[in-house]
């Protein structure tokens, strides 16, 4: 067990460094964790050996996957059904073009400029059509925009985009089978039953120190996640759906959501984001910068062509339209999942996989940095919490008596 504890200490040390950098540089922690993961695998690989980081070990993969599932669930739980019903037109419109424009544009770039095979080109289109719910939600949460109508509509549009990505991946590449039918059937039952069952179950048995609520939610998420992977889908998809259908009940339990956030952001998501960054192959980037930069430019250009006019059509002010366009250009979870699916099924080569992963990671970093630096709608930010008066510090034991 010494190796496990030492490696856990190494990963949490990297997470701490990433958090300090995010505070110092005023960027989202998710982005700094990705960058730290990339730099760490490069330095550790050069001076000690890549095995020290252990990114492929089962327990790290499990913690990383659990972080992605819980983060996606929390993002779904942030959706306000009232806001979604009021803004369903713009969420559907922005989400649809956010998927469709880069799907066609990046596939065309891969086929006609990079001369990839048709199958590899379609996979590139799928992988780069995504919007990262994980990155957008993390940024919304850190800035406090998750509680605004603007932030909730943006998260709803993310869901529409990623739903299009998952459907495209399934329709083009994944075989439909009885497992798919079973997954869809059980998922449909869960979507109907959970909003009715969960609040009643919590009301009768919850509210105790044993944290029954968290165990129940993890049971549901892990169970549906296992069913999804058994059906050749992805565990994060049912997590998002469960979060959405429970947004009107569990999502309003602020104390429960806060406890889940503590576990998710304090322990789990650093493994997810640092591991994602560690997959970036710097030598592949240096060997084929044209492909990476070309695909990144294609994604940003097609997202802009699609999302910006749609946002303006729904009367978004210029700053909010630009911020929406850039955040809808981010990609991470479903993009890397799609690339890994293509590699493991022989659709793309190792080099194409590295190019796609590098592009996906860069798309998580570049648009977010530009958006927060130049187009952040500061007038939507909640006012800073008032500092505690000195008397309160004294009363809490924080000052000298």
């Amino acid at each position: 067990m010494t190796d496990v504890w030492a490696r856990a200490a190494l990963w949490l040390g990297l997470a701490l460094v990433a958090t300090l950098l995010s505070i110092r540089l005023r960027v989202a922690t998710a982005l700094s964790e990705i960058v730290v993961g990339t730099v760490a695998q490069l330095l550790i690989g050069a001076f000690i050996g890549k095995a020290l980081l252990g990114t492929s070990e089962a327990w790290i993969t499990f913690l990383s996957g659990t972080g992605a599932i819980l983060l996606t669930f929390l993002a779904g739980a942030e959706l306000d059904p009232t806001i979604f019903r009021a803004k369903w037109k713009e969420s559907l419109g922005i989400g649809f073009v956010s998927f469709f424009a880069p799907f066609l544009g990046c596939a065309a770039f891969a086929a006609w400029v990079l001369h990839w095979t048709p199958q590899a080109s379609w996979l590139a289109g799928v992988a780069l059509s995504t919007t990262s719910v994980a990155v957008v939600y993390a940024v919304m949460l850190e800035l406090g925009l998750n509680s605004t109508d603007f932030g909730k509509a943006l998260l709803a549009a993310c869901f529409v985009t990623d739903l299009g990505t998952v459907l495209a991946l399934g329709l083009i590449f994944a075989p439909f089978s009885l497992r798919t039918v079973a997954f869809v059937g059980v998922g449909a039952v869960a979507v109907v039953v959970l909003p009715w069952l969960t609040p009643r179950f919590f009301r009768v048995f919850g509210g105790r120190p044993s944290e029954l609520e968290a165990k129940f939610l993890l049971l549901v998420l892990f169970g549906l996640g296992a069913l999804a992977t058994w059906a050749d889908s992805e565990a994060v998809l049912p997590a998002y759906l469960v979060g959405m259908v429970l947004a009107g009940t569990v999502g309003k339990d602020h104390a429960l959501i806060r406890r889940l956030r503590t576990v998710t952001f304090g322990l789990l998501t650093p493994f997810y984001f640092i591991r994602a960054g560690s997959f970036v192959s710097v030598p592949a980037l240096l060997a084929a910068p044209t492909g990476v930069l070309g695909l990144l430019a294609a994604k940003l250009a097609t997202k802009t062509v699609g999302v910006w006019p749609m946002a303006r059509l729904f009367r978004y002010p210029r700053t909010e339209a630009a911020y929406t366009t850039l955040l809808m250009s981010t990609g991470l979870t479903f993009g890397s999942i799609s690339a890994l699916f293509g590699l493991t099924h022989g659709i793309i080569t190792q080099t194409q996989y590295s190019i796609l992963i590098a592009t996906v990671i860069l798309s998580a970093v570049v648009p977010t940095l530009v958006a927060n630096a130049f187009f952040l709608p500061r007038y939507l930010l909640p006012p800073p919490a008032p500092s505690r008066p000195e008397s309160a510090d004294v009363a809490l034991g924080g000052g000298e008596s």
Side-chain angles (χ1 to χ4, degrees), residues 18-79:
T19 304
L20 291 172
L21 286 175
S22 74
I23 295 171
R24 186 71 177 177
L25 301 176
R26 297 184 178 181
V27 298
T29 307
L31 299 183
S32 63
E33 287 173 346
I34 292 172
V35 174
V36 165
T38 303
V39 174
Q41 62 90 20
L42 183 65
L43 295 179
I44 291 175
F47 294 104
I48 302 176
K50 290 184 178 179
L52 181 64
L53 210 53
T55 51
S56 298
E57 290 202 7
W59 68 273
I60 291 179
T61 304
F62 171 75
L63 289 180
S64 171
T66 305
I69 288 174
L70 276 179
L71 190 61
T72 308
F73 166 78
L74 288 171
E78 289 285 352
L79 294 178

Side-chain angles (χ1 to χ4, degrees), residues 3 5 68 72 82 90 141 149 154-155 187 197 201 207 289 309 351 377 381 398:
D3 291 345
W5 295 123
T72 308
T82 304
E90 62 188 73
L141 196 62
D149 292 357
L154 187 56
L155 285 171
L197 172 66
F201 187 65
T351 300
L381 298 179

Side-chain angles (χ1 to χ4, degrees), residues 119-321:
Q119 286 285 87
S121 299
W122 284 123
L123 188 90
V126 171
L128 298 178
S129 67
T130 60
T131 293
S132 174
V133 173
V135 171
V136 173
Y137 177 61
V139 171
M140 294 287 102
L141 196 62
E142 285 199 27
L143 296 175
L145 290 173
N146 60 305
S147 59
T148 65
D149 292 357
F150 171 74
K152 291 172 180 176
L154 187 56
L155 285 171
C158 292
F159 168 74
V160 175
T161 299
D162 285 344
L163 183 61
T165 300
V166 172
L167 290 177
L169 190 66
L171 291 172
I172 298 175
F173 300 106
F176 277 94
S177 63
L178 289 177
R179 294 185 178 187
T180 309
V181 175
F183 169 54
V184 173
V186 173
V189 172
V191 164
V192 174
V193 171
L194 283 174
W196 177 86
L197 172 66
T198 306
R200 290 167 174 79
F201 187 65
F202 286 3
R203 194 159 48 243
V204 175
F205 299 104
R208 294 175 171 81
S210 56
E211 296 289 353
L212 173 137
E213 294 91 340
K215 293 170 183 170
F216 175 83
L217 292 174
L218 287 173
L219 171 64
V220 171
L221 295 176
F222 286 171
L224 289 176
L227 186 63
T229 54
W230 174 73
D232 289 330
S233 184
E234 296 301 333
V236 293
L237 177 60
Y240 201 15
L241 290 174
V242 170
M244 283 187 67
V245 299
L246 294 181
T249 55
V250 174
K252 293 182 178 178
D253 187 343
H254 300 300
L256 174 60
I257 294 298
R258 191 161 50 247
R259 294 199 298 273
L260 290 175
R261 281 179 190 166
T262 300
V263 175
T264 303
F265 287 93
L267 174 64
L268 298 172
T269 54
F271 283 89
Y272 172 68
F273 287 118
I274 291 174
R275 185 169 182 266
S278 72
F279 285 142
V280 175
S281 172
V282 176
L285 275 175
L286 297 176
T290 306
V292 175
L293 296 178
L295 284 173
L296 180 63
K299 172 168 182 170
L300 296 180
T302 50
K303 286 274 188 180
T304 302
V305 168
V307 175
W308 167 265
M310 187 62 70
R312 293 290 291 163
L313 183 66
F314 285 105
R315 302 182 184 280
Y316 277 43
R318 289 183 180 277
T319 302
E320 292 176 39

